[in-house]
PDB file of all heavy atoms in Angstrom:
ATOM      1  N   LEU A  31     -21.180  -0.302   4.199  1.00  0.00           N
ATOM      2  CA  LEU A  31     -19.850   0.274   4.355  1.00  0.00           C
ATOM      3  C   LEU A  31     -19.514   1.058   3.088  1.00  0.00           C
ATOM      4  O   LEU A  31     -19.266   0.475   2.032  1.00  0.00           O
ATOM      5  CB  LEU A  31     -18.825  -0.836   4.593  1.00  0.00           C
ATOM      6  CG  LEU A  31     -19.006  -1.616   5.903  1.00  0.00           C
ATOM      7  CD1 LEU A  31     -18.148  -2.864   5.901  1.00  0.00           C
ATOM      8  CD2 LEU A  31     -18.668  -0.738   7.087  1.00  0.00           C
ATOM      9  N   SER A  44      14.805  -4.920  -3.546  1.00  0.00           N
ATOM     10  CA  SER A  44      15.126  -5.101  -2.121  1.00  0.00           C
ATOM     11  C   SER A  44      13.998  -5.764  -1.342  1.00  0.00           C
ATOM     12  O   SER A  44      14.151  -6.048  -0.149  1.00  0.00           O
ATOM     13  CB  SER A  44      15.465  -3.745  -1.487  1.00  0.00           C
ATOM     14  OG  SER A  44      14.424  -2.819  -1.678  1.00  0.00           O
ATOM     15  N   LYS A  53       2.829 -10.856   0.334  1.00  0.00           N
ATOM     16  CA  LYS A  53       1.738 -11.463  -0.437  1.00  0.00           C
ATOM     17  C   LYS A  53       0.741 -12.173   0.472  1.00  0.00           C
ATOM     18  O   LYS A  53      -0.474 -12.107   0.237  1.00  0.00           O
ATOM     19  CB  LYS A  53       2.299 -12.409  -1.494  1.00  0.00           C
ATOM     20  CG  LYS A  53       2.905 -11.682  -2.686  1.00  0.00           C
ATOM     21  CD  LYS A  53       3.217 -12.589  -3.845  1.00  0.00           C
ATOM     22  CE  LYS A  53       4.447 -13.417  -3.617  1.00  0.00           C
ATOM     23  NZ  LYS A  53       4.911 -14.088  -4.855  1.00  0.00           N
ATOM     24  N   VAL A  56      -1.384  -9.417   1.913  1.00  0.00           N
ATOM     25  CA  VAL A  56      -2.280  -8.846   0.906  1.00  0.00           C
ATOM     26  C   VAL A  56      -3.434  -9.798   0.613  1.00  0.00           C
ATOM     27  O   VAL A  56      -4.596  -9.380   0.471  1.00  0.00           O
ATOM     28  CB  VAL A  56      -1.494  -8.513  -0.382  1.00  0.00           C
ATOM     29  CG1 VAL A  56      -2.447  -8.118  -1.518  1.00  0.00           C
ATOM     30  CG2 VAL A  56      -0.509  -7.377  -0.121  1.00  0.00           C
ATOM     31  N   ILE A  90       6.359   1.109 -13.910  1.00  0.00           N
ATOM     32  CA  ILE A  90       5.300   0.125 -14.174  1.00  0.00           C
ATOM     33  C   ILE A  90       4.361   0.047 -12.977  1.00  0.00           C
ATOM     34  O   ILE A  90       4.812  -0.090 -11.838  1.00  0.00           O
ATOM     35  CB  ILE A  90       5.897  -1.270 -14.459  1.00  0.00           C
ATOM     36  CG1 ILE A  90       6.711  -1.255 -15.753  1.00  0.00           C
ATOM     37  CG2 ILE A  90       4.783  -2.322 -14.565  1.00  0.00           C
ATOM     38  CD1 ILE A  90       8.171  -0.957 -15.578  1.00  0.00           C
ATOM     39  N   HIS A  92       1.572  -2.481 -12.086  1.00  0.00           N
ATOM     40  CA  HIS A  92       1.009  -3.765 -12.504  1.00  0.00           C
ATOM     41  C   HIS A  92      -0.211  -4.088 -11.647  1.00  0.00           C
ATOM     42  O   HIS A  92      -0.098  -4.504 -10.491  1.00  0.00           O
ATOM     43  CB  HIS A  92       2.070  -4.851 -12.357  1.00  0.00           C
ATOM     44  CG  HIS A  92       1.599  -6.224 -12.717  1.00  0.00           C
ATOM     45  ND1 HIS A  92       0.797  -6.473 -13.817  1.00  0.00           N
ATOM     46  CD2 HIS A  92       1.815  -7.439 -12.130  1.00  0.00           C
ATOM     47  CE1 HIS A  92       0.539  -7.760 -13.882  1.00  0.00           C
ATOM     48  NE2 HIS A  92       1.133  -8.368 -12.878  1.00  0.00           N
ATOM     49  N   PRO A  96      -8.248  -5.462 -10.335  1.00  0.00           N
ATOM     50  CA  PRO A  96      -8.896  -4.163 -10.524  1.00  0.00           C
ATOM     51  C   PRO A  96     -10.164  -4.049  -9.682  1.00  0.00           C
ATOM     52  O   PRO A  96     -10.695  -5.049  -9.205  1.00  0.00           O
ATOM     53  CB  PRO A  96      -9.237  -4.165 -12.017  1.00  0.00           C
ATOM     54  CG  PRO A  96      -9.444  -5.607 -12.343  1.00  0.00           C
ATOM     55  CD  PRO A  96      -8.515  -6.383 -11.436  1.00  0.00           C
ATOM     56  N   SER A 102     -15.044 -10.721  -7.150  1.00  0.00           N
ATOM     57  CA  SER A 102     -15.237 -12.018  -7.807  1.00  0.00           C
ATOM     58  C   SER A 102     -14.564 -13.118  -6.986  1.00  0.00           C
ATOM     59  O   SER A 102     -13.520 -12.889  -6.370  1.00  0.00           O
ATOM     60  CB  SER A 102     -14.645 -11.994  -9.218  1.00  0.00           C
ATOM     61  OG  SER A 102     -15.293 -10.992  -9.994  1.00  0.00           O
ATOM     62  N   GLU A 114       9.456  -9.419  -6.747  1.00  0.00           N
ATOM     63  CA  GLU A 114      10.444  -8.346  -6.703  1.00  0.00           C
ATOM     64  C   GLU A 114      10.998  -8.103  -8.106  1.00  0.00           C
ATOM     65  O   GLU A 114      11.241  -9.032  -8.863  1.00  0.00           O
ATOM     66  CB  GLU A 114      11.562  -8.679  -5.715  1.00  0.00           C
ATOM     67  CG  GLU A 114      12.353  -9.935  -6.023  1.00  0.00           C
ATOM     68  CD  GLU A 114      11.708 -11.202  -5.484  1.00  0.00           C
ATOM     69  OE1 GLU A 114      10.547 -11.158  -5.037  1.00  0.00           O
ATOM     70  OE2 GLU A 114      12.392 -12.251  -5.529  1.00  0.00           O
ATOM     71  N   GLU A 116      12.749  -4.214  -9.817  1.00  0.00           N
ATOM     72  CA  GLU A 116      13.938  -3.368  -9.818  1.00  0.00           C
ATOM     73  C   GLU A 116      13.812  -2.214  -8.820  1.00  0.00           C
ATOM     74  O   GLU A 116      13.722  -2.447  -7.629  1.00  0.00           O
ATOM     75  CB  GLU A 116      14.223  -2.899 -11.250  1.00  0.00           C
ATOM     76  CG  GLU A 116      14.511  -4.088 -12.187  1.00  0.00           C
ATOM     77  CD  GLU A 116      14.920  -3.688 -13.574  1.00  0.00           C
ATOM     78  OE1 GLU A 116      15.977  -3.062 -13.728  1.00  0.00           O
ATOM     79  OE2 GLU A 116      14.165  -3.987 -14.519  1.00  0.00           O
ATOM     80  N   GLU A 130      -6.548   8.238  -8.985  1.00  0.00           N
ATOM     81  CA  GLU A 130      -7.567   7.248  -9.334  1.00  0.00           C
ATOM     82  C   GLU A 130      -8.570   7.075  -8.195  1.00  0.00           C
ATOM     83  O   GLU A 130      -9.788   7.026  -8.423  1.00  0.00           O
ATOM     84  CB  GLU A 130      -6.902   5.908  -9.656  1.00  0.00           C
ATOM     85  CG  GLU A 130      -7.876   4.843 -10.134  1.00  0.00           C
ATOM     86  CD  GLU A 130      -7.203   3.536 -10.514  1.00  0.00           C
ATOM     87  OE1 GLU A 130      -5.968   3.484 -10.520  1.00  0.00           O
ATOM     88  OE2 GLU A 130      -7.932   2.569 -10.803  1.00  0.00           O
ATOM     89  N   LYS A 133     -11.244   9.849  -7.700  1.00  0.00           N
ATOM     90  CA  LYS A 133     -12.369   9.863  -8.650  1.00  0.00           C
ATOM     91  C   LYS A 133     -13.482   8.889  -8.254  1.00  0.00           C
ATOM     92  O   LYS A 133     -14.565   8.931  -8.831  1.00  0.00           O
ATOM     93  CB  LYS A 133     -11.870   9.511 -10.051  1.00  0.00           C
ATOM     94  CG  LYS A 133     -10.903  10.535 -10.625  1.00  0.00           C
ATOM     95  CD  LYS A 133     -10.329  10.059 -11.951  1.00  0.00           C
ATOM     96  CE  LYS A 133      -9.301  11.038 -12.495  1.00  0.00           C
ATOM     97  NZ  LYS A 133      -8.679  10.530 -13.744  1.00  0.00           N
ATOM     98  N   LYS A 139     -12.010   6.693   1.565  1.00  0.00           N
ATOM     99  CA  LYS A 139     -11.009   6.124   0.661  1.00  0.00           C
ATOM    100  C   LYS A 139      -9.729   5.834   1.443  1.00  0.00           C
ATOM    101  O   LYS A 139      -9.240   6.677   2.184  1.00  0.00           O
ATOM    102  CB  LYS A 139     -10.738   7.097  -0.480  1.00  0.00           C
ATOM    103  CG  LYS A 139     -11.984   7.479  -1.279  1.00  0.00           C
ATOM    104  CD  LYS A 139     -11.662   8.540  -2.317  1.00  0.00           C
ATOM    105  CE  LYS A 139     -12.880   8.863  -3.176  1.00  0.00           C
ATOM    106  NZ  LYS A 139     -13.916   9.579  -2.440  1.00  0.00           N
ATOM    107  N   ASP A 146       9.257  -1.530   1.681  1.00  0.00           N
ATOM    108  CA  ASP A 146      10.417  -1.865   2.506  1.00  0.00           C
ATOM    109  C   ASP A 146      11.089  -0.590   3.015  1.00  0.00           C
ATOM    110  O   ASP A 146      12.230  -0.613   3.442  1.00  0.00           O
ATOM    111  CB  ASP A 146      11.408  -2.753   1.741  1.00  0.00           C
ATOM    112  CG  ASP A 146      12.093  -2.029   0.601  1.00  0.00           C
ATOM    113  OD1 ASP A 146      11.632  -0.940   0.213  1.00  0.00           O
ATOM    114  OD2 ASP A 146      13.101  -2.542   0.082  1.00  0.00           O
ATOM    115  N   ILE A 159      12.623  10.372  -0.136  1.00  0.00           N
ATOM    116  CA  ILE A 159      11.842  10.421   1.106  1.00  0.00           C
ATOM    117  C   ILE A 159      10.978  11.672   1.141  1.00  0.00           C
ATOM    118  O   ILE A 159       9.784  11.616   1.461  1.00  0.00           O
ATOM    119  CB  ILE A 159      12.775  10.363   2.333  1.00  0.00           C
ATOM    120  CG1 ILE A 159      13.489   9.017   2.391  1.00  0.00           C
ATOM    121  CG2 ILE A 159      11.991  10.595   3.615  1.00  0.00           C
ATOM    122  CD1 ILE A 159      14.543   8.917   3.466  1.00  0.00           C
ATOM    123  N   ASP A 161       9.961  13.502  -1.451  1.00  0.00           N
ATOM    124  CA  ASP A 161       8.940  13.420  -2.494  1.00  0.00           C
ATOM    125  C   ASP A 161       7.802  12.495  -2.086  1.00  0.00           C
ATOM    126  O   ASP A 161       6.621  12.801  -2.307  1.00  0.00           O
ATOM    127  CB  ASP A 161       9.567  12.932  -3.800  1.00  0.00           C
ATOM    128  CG  ASP A 161       8.565  12.892  -4.932  1.00  0.00           C
ATOM    129  OD1 ASP A 161       8.024  13.956  -5.287  1.00  0.00           O
ATOM    130  OD2 ASP A 161       8.308  11.788  -5.472  1.00  0.00           O
ATOM    131  N   LYS A 171      -4.821  15.348   1.520  1.00  0.00           N
ATOM    132  CA  LYS A 171      -5.599  16.548   1.204  1.00  0.00           C
ATOM    133  C   LYS A 171      -6.779  16.218   0.292  1.00  0.00           C
ATOM    134  O   LYS A 171      -7.777  16.940   0.276  1.00  0.00           O
ATOM    135  CB  LYS A 171      -4.700  17.594   0.546  1.00  0.00           C
ATOM    136  CG  LYS A 171      -3.740  18.277   1.505  1.00  0.00           C
ATOM    137  CD  LYS A 171      -2.893  19.322   0.794  1.00  0.00           C
ATOM    138  CE  LYS A 171      -1.941  20.015   1.762  1.00  0.00           C
ATOM    139  NZ  LYS A 171      -1.061  20.992   1.068  1.00  0.00           N
ATOM    140  N   LEU A 172      -6.644  15.127  -0.464  1.00  0.00           N
ATOM    141  CA  LEU A 172      -7.739  14.662  -1.324  1.00  0.00           C
ATOM    142  C   LEU A 172      -8.759  13.832  -0.544  1.00  0.00           C
ATOM    143  O   LEU A 172      -9.714  13.323  -1.117  1.00  0.00           O
ATOM    144  CB  LEU A 172      -7.182  13.836  -2.483  1.00  0.00           C
ATOM    145  CG  LEU A 172      -6.310  14.564  -3.506  1.00  0.00           C
ATOM    146  CD1 LEU A 172      -5.697  13.569  -4.486  1.00  0.00           C
ATOM    147  CD2 LEU A 172      -7.135  15.611  -4.263  1.00  0.00           C
ATOM    148  N   GLU A 188      15.439   1.218  15.060  1.00  0.00           N
ATOM    149  CA  GLU A 188      15.028   2.599  15.305  1.00  0.00           C
ATOM    150  C   GLU A 188      14.988   3.401  14.010  1.00  0.00           C
ATOM    151  O   GLU A 188      14.091   4.211  13.791  1.00  0.00           O
ATOM    152  CB  GLU A 188      15.991   3.260  16.299  1.00  0.00           C
ATOM    153  CG  GLU A 188      15.640   4.705  16.635  1.00  0.00           C
ATOM    154  CD  GLU A 188      14.278   4.843  17.304  1.00  0.00           C
ATOM    155  OE1 GLU A 188      13.893   3.930  18.060  1.00  0.00           O
ATOM    156  OE2 GLU A 188      13.598   5.866  17.058  1.00  0.00           O
ATOM    157  N   SER A 191      11.699   2.793  12.060  1.00  0.00           N
ATOM    158  CA  SER A 191      10.578   3.561  12.612  1.00  0.00           C
ATOM    159  C   SER A 191      10.675   5.027  12.229  1.00  0.00           C
ATOM    160  O   SER A 191       9.676   5.655  11.871  1.00  0.00           O
ATOM    161  CB  SER A 191      10.545   3.423  14.141  1.00  0.00           C
ATOM    162  OG  SER A 191      10.299   2.096  14.518  1.00  0.00           O
ATOM    163  N   LEU A 211       1.637  -8.872  11.112  1.00  0.00           N
ATOM    164  CA  LEU A 211       0.963  -7.805  10.378  1.00  0.00           C
ATOM    165  C   LEU A 211      -0.547  -8.014  10.396  1.00  0.00           C
ATOM    166  O   LEU A 211      -1.318  -7.065  10.561  1.00  0.00           O
ATOM    167  CB  LEU A 211       1.471  -7.753   8.942  1.00  0.00           C
ATOM    168  CG  LEU A 211       0.967  -6.579   8.086  1.00  0.00           C
ATOM    169  CD1 LEU A 211       1.306  -5.247   8.731  1.00  0.00           C
ATOM    170  CD2 LEU A 211       1.560  -6.648   6.689  1.00  0.00           C
ATOM    171  N   MET A 218      -6.868  -2.299  13.162  1.00  0.00           N
ATOM    172  CA  MET A 218      -6.834  -1.080  12.366  1.00  0.00           C
ATOM    173  C   MET A 218      -7.961  -1.060  11.345  1.00  0.00           C
ATOM    174  O   MET A 218      -8.640  -0.055  11.157  1.00  0.00           O
ATOM    175  CB  MET A 218      -5.493  -0.956  11.653  1.00  0.00           C
ATOM    176  CG  MET A 218      -5.340   0.364  10.895  1.00  0.00           C
ATOM    177  SD  MET A 218      -4.020   0.290   9.676  1.00  0.00           S
ATOM    178  CE  MET A 218      -4.756  -0.780   8.439  1.00  0.00           C
ATOM    179  N   ILE A 227     -19.288   3.469   8.307  1.00  0.00           N
ATOM    180  CA  ILE A 227     -20.689   3.039   8.389  1.00  0.00           C
ATOM    181  C   ILE A 227     -21.601   4.257   8.249  1.00  0.00           C
ATOM    182  O   ILE A 227     -21.462   5.240   8.971  1.00  0.00           O
ATOM    183  CB  ILE A 227     -20.965   2.331   9.731  1.00  0.00           C
ATOM    184  CG1 ILE A 227     -20.113   1.071   9.826  1.00  0.00           C
ATOM    185  CG2 ILE A 227     -22.446   1.996   9.871  1.00  0.00           C
ATOM    186  CD1 ILE A 227     -20.233   0.343  11.148  1.00  0.00           C
TER     187      ILE A 227
END
Side-chain angles (χ1 to χ4, degrees):
L31 295 168
S44 55
K53 285 191 284 192
V56 171
I90 295 92
H92 178 42
S102 300
E114 61 275 11
E116 298 185 64
E130 184 177 354
K133 295 174 183 176
K139 303 175 176 70
D146 68 346
I159 295 173
D161 183 62
K171 286 181 179 177
L172 294 173
E188 181 62 34
S191 296
L211 187 57
M218 185 198 72
I227 297 176

